[in-house]
Amino acid sequence: MRMAILAAAAAMLVDVAIGAPRTTTTDAGRRARRDSAGEDPVERGTLRLHYVQKPIGYERYTIARDGDALNLSSEFDFTDRGGRVQLAATIRTRPDYTPIAFKARGKSYRFVNVDSEVRVEGSDAVVHADGADARVTLPAQFFTVDGYAPFAAQMLMLRYWKQHGQPRRLATVPGLPVNDVLIEPRGREAIRVGDTSVRLERYVVDGVVWGRETIWLDERGAIAAAITRAGGLGFEAVREDLEPALVAFAQRATRDRIGDLENLTKQMPLLKSGAYAIAGATIVDGTGRAPIADGVVVVRDGRIADVGPRAKVVIPPDAPTVDVSGKTVIPGLWDMHTHVTQIEWAPVYLAAGVTTVRDMGNEFEFVTTLRDAIESRRALGPRLLLAGLVDGGGPDAFGVVYAASAAEAKQVVAKYHDAGFQQMKIYSLVTPPIVEAICAEAHRLGMTVTGHVPNGMTIEQAAAAGMDQIAHLAIRGEAGSDEVTRTIAFLRDHKTVIDPTQSWNELLGHAAGTPIAAFQPGVAKIPPPLNRVFSNAGAAGVDAVTARSRLERGLRIVKALHDAGVPVVAGTDEGIPGHSVHREIELYVEAGFTPMEALQAATLVSARAMKRDAELGTIERGKRADLVVLNADPLESIRNIRTVRWTIHDGRVYDAQALWRSVRFQP
Ligand SMILES: [Zn+2]
């Protein structure tokens, strides 16, 4: 077993408590020049890039002086699972870091193309972004960034911010797909690597990507490290000489983030908790029984104390009644395939009516800390069930947890088991004998196994090797063909659970010319940086008819699996946060499920697959009070699944609109 977490002992972050945080007004560029022997460039830096803590590439930048102006030039370059991602960027600024020109071209993630240019002309700017040109009026203060990369651009943004009075909110150039950026200093600390100690200032930046990043600058104002996300997973940049401190930086960022979520939780109005009754709604209890008209649910201490028609339920005198006439109550939804890599997911999931999620691979420390914070109720968020990611070794491996021998397989499973993970998630490069070893050890410890069908194995071989569940729809061919029918019968006999992530396939596989809004109305409500991530997500050179027929092939197989009795569970692989859960459910109805069956895929069937159906998955007496109050009935039209008004998690009632707004989504 090789895990980056072991490196934690090599470096430490220590708080430095010397007076108040220093407010620097020094021109960091000028200082850097003084420190530097050469004339040109005045400053240079190299950052090691990591994905889910695995080193995958470099960003190299230089800053040169050109008369009064500064020219930053950055080359950002990494290889993720065999795919090269490169971005070249330049920024020209005045001495106080006010941008004069900005250009970024290339990719910032596998499917995120960047082609942005800004030219400042007096109080205007000419902006080219995502194929469109515009002339915009500039705010009094502004900076130019387009996504998390390059990190050197964020470094200059922080220098600009320091020199311009440290406003709480910094505008970006209109027309670039970035929110106003919120910046907050979080104090000073020292990082110790070997014998050297480097003094750093830590900042939280919110708005360059969706959600918060942590960035450290050294005393010269040069970037030392940054913790952010790309493609929905953790992405880390660390200055080359500070590389041994990678895990220490990540741990510090985790502490910051959990603290941020605890603060958000304190500010979130809790509409009800303890004992109460909700009365008057149509109750779709999720068991498959007919809906209860004019129903009542009595909640006490986080559990369903009683449920039924108003005439049959006695509301205890100490339970105030909330009238929800005209609304529909359903069980809390599940997302069976996600990666909760940032705290902003917590309010998003509750806002979408999702009260339980299965995390399918994440940074170990972050996700266990988040789970514990939610379980202890210090932080709001869905119940987190965890699948521990493991890949085979080699240069194309994913993440930092590998098993290449039976002994390593045992160690990896034990590590996840001890940390309370319910499952193992096998990734693509695990070899067949190691798949068997992982499954055997997981089963011995009472865990189940899910994941990708590893390279070189068929789905039948993966199931036969012991995998209880399979992520993504790994079945080729056409529903109804002999081969597919045989495969489905095999999976049924092995009681294999399938999480087909059809909304993810649709999101990446739709024709590039078809706007996402044509199938996913939620896209209109997400913050600009997220929109930007998905703006290029579509298949180029594929027409709408072909894209749709590919999707329909998948949906026919999903229906055939369901008809054969193979449990199908709703998972998104993140997608459009929250909204993709609704889309996944809608797609099952398009596949031919009844609305009730589609709902059950995201409730009872998921709970059964995770062996939690004694407590979760339906609205029945004694179960946990995980409920969603919808404005309209999803059995009438499955699109009504999108009309979440309140979400009740463990008996606590949250307002969906307030939750959406708390993370910069529109309700
Ligand atoms: Zn995934």
Side-chain angles (χ1 to χ4, degrees):
M1 178 175 56
R2 286 145 281 166
M3 301 185 81
I5 206 94
L6 300 176
M12 283 177 65
L13 275 173
V14 185
D15 285 304
V16 178
I18 312 169
R22 189 175 55 127
T23 50
T24 304
T25 47
T26 325
D27 181 336
R30 199 164 58 227
R31 292 178 59 133
R33 185 180 50 164
R34 203 174 54 215
D35 295 346
S36 162
E39 285 286 315
D40 188 28
V42 290
E43 197 177 334
R44 63 172 77 239
T46 301
L47 300 169
R48 195 93 204 264
L49 305 178
H50 309 76
Y51 198 37
V52 200
Q53 299 192 5
K54 182 194 177 186
I56 52 164
Y58 292 93
E59 177 182 334
R60 295 187 170 85
Y61 67 87
T62 58
I63 299 174
R65 197 167 278 278
D66 174 13
D68 250 3
L70 293 169
N71 284 332
L72 170 108
S73 167
S74 164
E75 294 289 335
F76 176 90
D77 188 348
F78 69 77
T79 301
D80 169 31
R81 288 163 280 178
R84 186 99 179 256
V85 171
Q86 288 174 286
L87 182 78
T90 55
I91 306 180
R92 182 172 168 82
T93 75
R94 297 185 205 289
D96 69 351
Y97 299 108
T98 300
I100 302 167
F102 167 82
K103 194 170 179 175
R105 191 156 292 160
K107 284 181 173 211
S108 60
Y109 186 64
R110 292 195 289 174
F111 55 78
V112 182
N113 300 320
V114 177
D115 177 13
S116 307
E117 197 167 345
V118 175
R119 233 176 36 249
V120 173
E121 295 179 353
S123 59
D124 287 0
V126 179
V127 180
H128 173 85
D130 284 334
D133 294 284
R135 174 173 279 274
V136 301
T137 303
L138 289 168
Q141 293 187 347
F142 67 93
F143 202 77
T144 52
V145 280
D146 179 0
Y148 74 103
F151 289 101
Q154 297 205 62
M155 169 179 81
L156 290 198
M157 177 183 78
L158 285 168
R159 291 184 188 175
Y160 173 92
W161 173 82
K162 282 179 160 196
Q163 293 222 346
H164 292 80
Q166 307 198 2
R168 165 93 179 105
R169 185 179 284 267
L170 175 62
T172 55
V173 170
L176 287 181
V178 175
N179 276 322
D180 285 354
V181 177
L182 307 174
I183 301 173
E184 212 181 290
R186 287 281 168 95
R188 302 171 64 192
E189 57 208 355
I191 185 90
R192 213 169 289 146
V193 175
D195 292 339
T196 20
S197 177
V198 184
R199 287 176 170 241
L200 303 173
E201 290 177 343
R202 188 166 96 257
Y203 300 90
V204 175
V205 174
D206 180 356
V208 170
V209 296
W210 173 51
R212 296 157 178 85
E213 309 171 288
T214 299
I215 298 175
W216 288 262
L217 301 185
D218 68 13
E219 290 185 307
R220 294 184 306 128
I223 186 165
I227 306 284
T228 182
R229 286 160 314 283
L233 295 171
F235 197 99
E236 302 88 10
V238 181
R239 207 169 71 195
E240 249 186 330
D241 57 309
L242 301 178
E243 174 73 11
L246 166 70
V247 171
F249 283 119
Q251 287 171 341
R252 165 63 87 191
T254 291
R255 285 215 302 278
D256 263 1
R257 290 300 82 75
I258 302 300
D260 292 340
L261 183 59
E262 288 171 6
N263 284 337
L264 187 154
T265 302
K266 282 179 202 142
Q267 287 155 21
M268 186 60 57
L270 198 56
L271 304 181
K272 279 261 175 284
S273 63
Y276 59 92
I278 53 174
T282 300
I283 297 171
V284 177
D285 67 13
T287 61
R289 286 192 288 263
I292 304 165
D294 193 17
V296 174
V297 184
V298 180
V299 174
R300 184 179 292 280
D301 300 329
R303 297 212 176 242
I304 297 164
D306 203 356
V307 55
R310 196 191 289 264
K312 289 194 178 166
V313 174
V314 179
I315 299 174
D318 66 334
T321 301
V322 183
D323 179 33
V324 288
S325 302
K327 309 217 181 283
T328 302
V329 180
I330 61 168
L333 301 174
W334 291 52
D335 187 345
M336 284 289 277
H337 190 139
T338 191
H339 306 270
V340 185
T341 57
Q342 58 184 94
I343 57 161
E344 289 79 11
W345 279 101
V348 156
Y349 269 130
L350 293 183
V354 176
T355 51
T356 307
V357 303
R358 171 177 63 182
D359 188 284
M360 289 283 266
N362 206 318
E363 293 188 2
F364 183 90
E365 171 131 356
F366 176 80
V367 79
T368 51
T369 309
L370 178 62
R371 174 200 60 192
D372 296 345
I374 292 171
E375 241 169 53
S376 71
R377 302 194 168 186
R378 282 181 287 117
L380 62 78
R383 182 176 296 99
L384 271 174
L385 307 179
L386 305 182
L389 182 77
V390 55
D391 203 356
D396 291 344
F398 183 57
V400 291
V401 181
Y402 315 122
S405 69
E408 286 182 352
K410 272 196 143 191
Q411 279 178 296
V412 166
V413 175
K415 160 127 190 142
Y416 281 128
H417 176 260
D418 291 351
F421 284 61
Q422 282 79 13
Q423 265 188 335
M424 294 300 300
K425 181 189 182 183
I426 300 219
Y427 211 72
S428 308
L429 299 182
V430 181
T431 59
I434 305 307
V435 172
E436 280 187 28
I438 290 168
C439 292
E441 184 64 6
H443 293 158
R444 192 179 73 78
L445 294 172
M447 299 168 81
T448 51
V449 180
T450 187
H452 291 194
V453 173
N455 295 349
M457 289 178 96
T458 65
I459 191 168
E460 287 100 324
Q461 288 166 341
M467 289 181 69
D468 307 281
Q469 307 191 10
I470 300 291
H472 310 300
L473 188 63
I475 302 175
R476 312 210 180 286
E478 272 293 338
S481 69
D482 289 350
E483 194 195 341
V484 169
T485 304
R486 265 199 310 276
T487 299
I488 290 175
F490 186 93
L491 296 173
R492 180 200 54 217
D493 295 345
H494 278 76
K495 301 187 167 33
T496 311
V497 174
I498 304 288
D499 115 53
T501 58
Q502 290 299 287
S503 54
W504 180 242
N505 288 17
E506 182 184 42
L507 192 57
L508 292 196
H510 75 278
T514 304
I516 292 173
F519 55 88
Q520 173 53 277
V523 77
K525 300 177 176 181
I526 65 180
L530 254 186
N531 227 316
R532 201 235 172 299
V533 168
F534 290 109
S535 60
N536 318 116
V542 174
D543 63 78
V545 175
T546 309
R548 179 68 200 181
S549 80
R550 284 181 189 168
L551 178 69
E552 283 174 359
R553 185 200 71 86
L555 294 179
R556 283 194 294 274
I557 293 178
V558 171
K559 178 64 161 54
L561 285 163
H562 177 68
D563 288 346
V566 176
V568 172
V569 294
T572 61
D573 215 354
E574 302 191 26
I576 306 291
H579 297 283
S580 274
V581 178
H582 303 152
R583 185 62 188 153
E584 188 74 19
I585 295 168
E586 289 171 358
L587 283 172
Y588 295 167
V589 173
E590 287 189 25
F593 288 41
T594 66
M596 176 63 85
E597 290 166 340
L599 208 55
Q600 287 180 316
T603 52
L604 179 58
V605 180
S606 293
R608 268 192 207 130
M610 299 306 289
K611 303 186 169 120
R612 295 298 295 270
D613 51 309
E615 286 246 296
L616 301 167
T618 58
I619 307 177
E620 292 178 280
R621 193 179 299 153
K623 285 197 177 184
R624 293 207 165 269
D626 281 8
L627 310 163
V628 188
V629 180
L630 300 171
N631 285 329
D633 186 347
L635 300 187
E636 274 170 25
S637 163
I638 198 62
R639 307 207 92 176
N640 291 337
I641 197 75
R642 296 175 181 273
T643 64
V644 179
R645 181 70 190 85
W646 295 291
T647 298
I648 304 176
H649 181 223
D650 268 344
R652 285 159 296 160
V653 184
Y654 296 97
D655 179 85
Q657 300 199 355
L659 289 164
W660 286 124
R661 284 203 195 90
S662 72
V663 285
R664 306 178 87 170
F665 276 60
Q666 285 168 42

